[in-house]
Every structure is written in C-alpha cells, then in structure tokens.
Amino acid sequence: MINRPSSMKRFGFTCETPYPQLIEEDIMVPKPGEHDLLIEVVALSINPVDTKRREIVKEKTFTVLGYDSVGYVREMGSAVKDFKLNDRVYYAGTTQREGSQQEYQIVDARIVAKAPKNLSDEAAAGIPLTALTAYELLFEKFQLVPQEKANEGKELLVINGGGGVGSIMTQLAKWTGMKVYATASPQNFRWLEKNGVDVPIDYHHSLYDQLKQAGSDGVDYIAVLYDIESYLPEIKKIIQPLGHIGMIVNTKEKIDWNEYKNDSISFHWEYVFTKTDHNKEIATQGAILETLTKLFEENKLHSHVTTVYSDGINRASLEQAMKLVSEGGQQGKVVLSGGFKTSGSLDLQDI
C-alpha cells in the first residue's frame, strides 16, 4: 500500500446506542492477515440484514455493519495469489468480521471477486449479497443447472419477486431457461418483467387461481423470500410431488411440515453467511462471484440497484438509507457511493 494512512473513519454502534443513531470513530488502519485483502471502500449497499442486526444486537462492543461493497485492493496477505494492488473488487462480507461501513475493510480474499468492468461502482455494490443468496438457493439447494437454457421446461415461482434477492433470482432463473412466475403488487409488475418474469402474480389474490389462468397446474420449485406461514395454504395446492421449497426468512410461528411428507417435498434453508460463519466451502462464494461477473459483462444479467445516495458515505447518509430499507417495500437495492466523507448534504438519486 503506497502512502498508507495512519487512521480511518468507521461507523457503528453498541447495544447502548439509541436507535437509529450511529457513532463515528477514527481508528488505526488494520493490517491484512495471510488470506486477506485490505480494501478501500468506495460504495456499499444497505440490506435488510443490516437493519435486523441493528435492532437485535446485544453486545456492548462496537459493531460495524455492511455486507455488500465495491472497493480497491490496497494491501494483500502473503497467501493471496489471484489479486493485485488497485484491483476493483466486490464482495458480500461476513458476520464474523467488521463490515463495510468503514473506509478500509479487511476481507478474506476467497470470498472476493473482481467487479464487472461494465458496471459502475453503484451498480456493482448492490449485487453480491443478493446474488449469492439467489445463486446458492437455485443451484446448490434446488440443484438446478447453472448454465444458459439448461433448465428449459422447468417452472419457478418466486414469492416476493420485487425485492433485492427476487430481482436477481428471476434473472438467473430466466437465463437458465426456466418459466418464471413471481409475486408483487400490480404497480410493480413492470419491474418484475424487466427482471425476467414471464407471468407476474398479484400476491393480494389467490396464487393458485392465477397460476391456473396462466396455464400452470403447479410448479416444482418455489422460492419464498418472505415469512412462509401465510402462504402455506396456497403452496400446498401449488407445489408438485417431489417438489422443492426454499426459504430465506425466519418464520414467526412453528410450522408442522408433516402434511408434505407423502408428497416427498424437500425444504431448503438458504443463509448466505452459513459458509463464512462456519468456515465451510468459503472459496465457493468467490467462485460464484467470478461467474456472476462474467454474466454481467456478457450482458446476461443487469444490476438491480434502484436508489443511490451519491454524495459520500457518512453518518447522515447511512442513517437515512438504513431507515429507508427498514421501512420495507423497496424494489431492488439501495446503495451509497462517493467514498467516505464526514459531512455534506445528501444527494439521493433514483435509477
């Protein structure tokens, strides 16, 4: 690292910090470990997991959030082979280390990839966490084939298709040749169609009836990106024997799955941090991001970022972006860019 700064800004909180306020600190720039990169963060996104962890944290120690980022490699550990200084990279990070809401972040190189050359910092910053979640659910849990047109003749229903994970999952499924159904409010149907959905479904009305009207007798794959409980009566009618149901959101109530036994339905949990939480197969996440980079550069996928705070990453912009995400109902992703600044007015852009 040339002209290594002695200190850096970071933003975080403890359990004693009044919500939603963040604390700004100056600390020494950390040194990377053997497998690590030191990355200068220039753009990051806010995800629901940020606001959820912010609400439930119990620790008195300082916590830095942030699970998506684009930045530049400024130092490398001795075991790092696939990167060089000043590479522009992107990654989803981990719950086990401090997040991206800081000027310089230490990240394991095995969960990092070079960012797509054809995407801006803002467009790339919203990709990693949601795209990894979608990819792992479709191709690791559902065991679909991650190749163009490889799953023709198969059908997928995505419940809550307009959010961050849904907006990239529908693109991936369509790329592999699937027929894609997804739920949203009617005012968001154009967004669904933009992201590869063949048949938008209004979640306010019977999903089964709407699928029937679209010519489907049921599907073999359902990705539920919301608490599944209220959808179970519909799902029981829709899911085909030997089908697969994937979930990413906790259920508020206990659920009895016994009625699905005789149809041999498979249930899958997807949590993007399982691998890094337990140090299991972590290099697969870097490999998935490399695959995604190729797809973006070949224009097989497009960014699903919709809202950008472009006037720098500071306490005011972070708090406002987290408030927006916590309110829910967002299409796509919310991103902050412009590097770290301690002051300045907000410049909110809708893409």
Side-chain angles (χ1 to χ4, degrees):
M1 182 174 181
I2 301 173
N3 297 323
R4 187 180 217 274
S6 60
S7 65
M8 68 177 199
K9 297 288 182 186
R10 69 174 185 174
F11 298 92
F13 59 91
T14 72
C15 65
E16 298 173 336
T17 308
Y19 186 86
Q21 297 175 21
L22 294 172
I23 301 169
E24 179 180 326
E25 284 191 347
D26 287 309
I27 64 165
M28 297 293 293
V29 176
K31 294 285 290 184
E34 181 183 14
H35 292 282
D36 293 336
L37 303 173
L38 177 68
I39 297 170
E40 182 180 1
V41 176
V42 298
L44 59 88
S45 76
I46 303 297
N47 293 282
V49 66
D50 290 291
T51 62
K52 289 176 183 176
R53 287 201 69 208
R54 176 69 179 87
E55 291 169 354
I56 66 173
V57 69
K58 304 298 183 185
E59 294 82 6
K60 292 186 178 181
T61 55
F62 196 84
T63 299
V64 179
L65 294 174
Y67 303 103
D68 271 327
S69 181
V70 167
Y72 290 87
V73 175
R74 299 311 190 198
E75 285 186 7
M76 299 182 294
S78 59
V80 176
K81 305 297 183 184
D82 298 326
F83 297 94
K84 62 182 185 297
L85 293 180
N86 300 320
D87 277 345
R88 191 178 73 124
V89 297
Y90 69 157
Y91 50 92
T94 167
T95 64
Q96 302 303 300
R97 304 176 89 165
E98 291 186 337
S100 57
Q101 294 180 14
Q102 55 185 331
E103 281 188 88
Y104 294 92
Q105 183 182 7
I106 298 291
V107 185
D108 191 308
R110 292 168 291 185
I111 63 171
V112 175
K114 294 175 184 177
K117 295 177 182 178
N118 61 330
L119 296 185
S120 66
D121 293 339
E122 293 86 355
I127 291 168
L129 188 145
T130 53
L132 283 169
T133 300
Y135 193 101
E136 289 181 352
L137 183 53
L138 290 175
F139 305 125
E140 293 183 351
K141 306 304 193 310
F142 285 172
Q143 292 289 293
L144 293 161
V145 180
Q147 296 176 9
E148 191 166 11
K149 299 182 180 180
N151 300 303
E152 289 182 339
K154 297 180 179 180
E155 297 184 339
L156 169 72
L157 170 63
V158 180
I159 293 177
N160 192 21
V165 175
S167 298
I168 199 71
M169 180 179 290
T170 54
Q171 292 184 59
L172 284 167
K174 189 63 178 176
W175 166 67
T176 69
M178 300 187 81
K179 185 170 184 178
V180 182
Y181 306 89
T183 70
S185 296
Q187 62 265 30
N188 294 328
F189 279 4
R190 288 184 64 186
W191 174 256
L192 296 183
E193 292 167 347
K194 178 181 178 181
N195 292 307
V197 174
D198 296 290
V199 181
I201 302 292
D202 185 351
Y203 76 91
H204 298 95
H205 303 291
S206 169
L207 309 188
Y208 174 80
D209 290 345
Q210 291 175 82
L211 285 170
K212 198 79 171 176
Q213 291 171 6
S216 174
D217 292 324
V219 299
D220 295 311
Y221 302 92
I222 301 178
V224 188
L225 313 180
Y226 193 80
D227 188 335
I228 196 173
E229 183 185 7
S230 63
Y231 288 99
L232 283 173
E234 292 267 39
I235 287 173
K236 186 65 174 68
K237 296 188 291 182
I238 293 168
I239 192 69
Q240 292 291 293
L242 305 177
H244 296 259
I245 298 172
M247 298 166 288
I248 68 169
V249 178
N250 290 347
T251 61
K252 292 181 180 179
E253 304 295 336
K254 292 183 178 180
I255 294 173
D256 183 359
W257 302 113
N258 286 327
E259 62 178 320
Y260 294 87
K261 180 185 75 71
N262 289 351
D263 288 334
S264 296
I265 302 301
S266 298
F267 293 90
H268 309 270
W269 281 111
E270 164 57 23
Y271 179 57
V272 75
F273 298 121
T274 296
K275 293 174 181 177
T276 50
D277 280 355
H278 302 284
N279 197 28
K280 295 280 191 179
E281 304 175 11
I282 65 172
T284 62
Q285 295 200 327
I288 290 170
L289 287 174
E290 288 179 4
T291 298
L292 291 164
T293 291
K294 293 177 183 177
L295 291 175
F296 281 102
E297 291 180 344
E298 294 169 357
N299 294 312
K300 301 293 176 63
L301 301 174
H302 57 263
S303 178
H304 54 319
V305 171
T306 53
T307 303
V308 176
Y309 294 82
S310 62
D311 194 38
I313 304 167
N314 54 48
R315 182 164 53 193
S317 62
L318 284 166
E319 288 181 344
Q320 186 161 336
M322 291 183 72
K323 181 177 183 294
L324 180 66
V325 172
S326 70
E327 291 170 351
Q330 281 289 305
Q331 292 179 343
K333 296 294 294 290
V334 176
V335 166
L336 298 91
S337 67
F340 278 74
K341 299 179 181 179
T342 57
S343 62
S345 60
L346 296 180
D347 181 8
L348 174 62
Q349 299 176 3
D350 289 320
I351 296 179

